[in-house]
Structure formats: structure tokens, C-alpha cells
């Protein structure tokens, strides 16, 4: 952690300002969502054409799995498990609502067909959004690890290419007795990606 970063955190804390980390753009998100959409369409088409071979218990099982998958996607933190959950959710919602779409076409029910498409796309949007969140969280974990590099939570660990700058900044912070407060602000910034007055006071 560089001493000038510490000084910026000190100024933001003194003025009651929020602090945010500068994040690199997460690459490949758009491509990942497009690829997920292509697979969703493939699942939908597959279910639409083979729905008659699927027994009613199988369809009911798919329906019963969507809500648990949604809950797991929200609360599971294991990276590999989240990939599997989001992919399974896309497959389930694509196939499940394709059954309804096929039935609506056979019954000439335009409203039912529209409902099937809308609900399928809504569920897809949820799992696609969770996949984007997963990628952002993965990036945030990498950047938090970079912020923690060679920093164990003490201002004295901060380095500087100019020794006089380091001594002057540390002296300024120490003179106001804010060492622990600034350390807390930096720790919150590392953990949460931001450090706001409300987070620092909680």
C-alpha cells in the first residue's frame, strides 16, 4: 500500500467523504451474456420440440427446481457452484417455459404463448444477471487481494519512494490521533470496495 493512498484515505476520512476503489472493467461480460442467451434459446428449442416425450412428473420437477435455484444463486458463494447453479437455472427456465409455449401453440392460445415467452425471458434475465454479478465479484476479490499485498492493517506498512513524504504524512495523521480510524477506513475499503461515513460508523 502506497503512502499517498494512505494520505488520500486520511483526507477523505477527515472530510467525511466516501472512498471508492478504481476498478478495472470486467472483460468478457457481454460475450458471456450473449453465449448464455444462445444456450438459453437452445434449451428452449430443445424443450419445445421434445416436450411430448417428457412425462408430467418431469415437468413438475423442473418447475419445483426454479425457486430453490434462485435462492442458491443468491446465497451461495462458492465460485464453481455459482457457475453450475446459474447454468442450471438457464437450462431449467428455457425448457420449462418451452413446454407451456408448445401447449399454447397447439391450443391456439396466443396469450398463453406470450406469457410463456415473457416469463422465460424474465427468469433468464435473473440468472444472466447473477452470472454478471459473479464475474464482478470475482474481479473484486482479485483487486482486494492486490490492495492487501504487503499490507497487514498498519499504517507503518505503507511504503514510499521518497522517505520524507512517508514521514511527513505519517506525522500529520499521528498528530491528529487518527491512525486507527484511517486504518479502519482502509480495511473497510479493502473488504467492501468502498468506505463511506455510514460504513465507517457501523
Amino acid at each position: 500500500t502506497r503512502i499517498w493512498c494512505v494520505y488520500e484515505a486520511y483526507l477523505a476520512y477527515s472530510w467525511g467523504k466516501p472512498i471508492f476503489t478504481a476498478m478495472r472493467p470486467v472483460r468478457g461480460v457481454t460475450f458471456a451474456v450473449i453465449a448464455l442467451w444462445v444456450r438459453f434459446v437452445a434449451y428452449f428449442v430443445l424443450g419445445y420440440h421434445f416436450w411430448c416425450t417428457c412425462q408430467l412428473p418431469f415437468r413438475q420437477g423442473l418447475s419445483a427446481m426454479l425457486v430453490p435455484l434462485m435462492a442458491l444463486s443468491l446465497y451461495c458463494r462458492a465460485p464453481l457452484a455459482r457457475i453450475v447453479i446459474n447454468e442450471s437455472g438457464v437450462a431449467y427456465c428455457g425448457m420449462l417455459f418451452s413446454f407451456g409455449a408448445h401447449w399454447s401453440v397447439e391450443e391456439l392460445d396466443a396469450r398463453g404463448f406470450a406469457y410463456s415467452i415473457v416469463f422465460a425471458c424474465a427468469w433468464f434475465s435473473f440468472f444472466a444477471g447473477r452470472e454478471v454479478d459473479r464475474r464482478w465479484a470475482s474481479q473484486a476479490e482479485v483487486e482486494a487481494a492486490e490492495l492487501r499485498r504487503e499490507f497487514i492493517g498498519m499504517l507503518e506498512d505503507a511504503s514510499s519512494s521518497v522517505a520524507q513524504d512517508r514521514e511527513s504524512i505519517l506525522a500529520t495523521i499521528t498528530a491528529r490521533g487518527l491512525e486507527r480510524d484511517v486504518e479502519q477506513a482502509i480495511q473497510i475499503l479493502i473488504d467492501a470496495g468502498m468506505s463511506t461515513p455510514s460504513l465507517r460508523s457501523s
Side-chain angles (χ1 to χ4, degrees), residues 20 43 63 197:
F20 299 92
Y43 293 129
S63 179

Side-chain angles (χ1 to χ4, degrees), residues 60-75 85 88-89 92-93 96-97 123 126-127:
Q60 293 174 335
L62 285 181
S63 179
M65 283 297 296
L66 272 179
V67 173
L69 279 173
M70 180 183 72
L72 284 172
S73 180
L74 288 171
Y75 297 108
I85 290 167
S88 299
Y92 281 144
C93 68
L96 176 64
F97 290 104
W123 277 98
F126 171 80
F127 287 107

Side-chain angles (χ1 to χ4, degrees), residues 147-201:
L147 286 172
R148 291 190 187 96
R149 187 180 302 164
E150 298 179 0
F151 181 73
I152 59 172
M154 305 292 291
L155 294 183
E156 289 77 7
D157 299 327
S159 60
S160 174
S161 56
V162 180
Q164 186 176 358
D165 288 347
R166 181 179 182 279
E167 294 173 2
S168 176
I169 290 172
L170 290 178
T172 300
I173 297 173
T174 303
R176 294 192 58 186
L178 294 177
E179 305 100 304
R180 303 288 82 82
D181 295 322
V182 174
E183 287 170 356
Q184 181 192 21
I186 294 172
Q187 189 60 52
I188 293 173
L189 182 65
I190 291 173
D191 292 338
M194 65 178 73
S195 180
T196 64
S198 58
L199 283 175
R200 293 192 288 266
S201 62

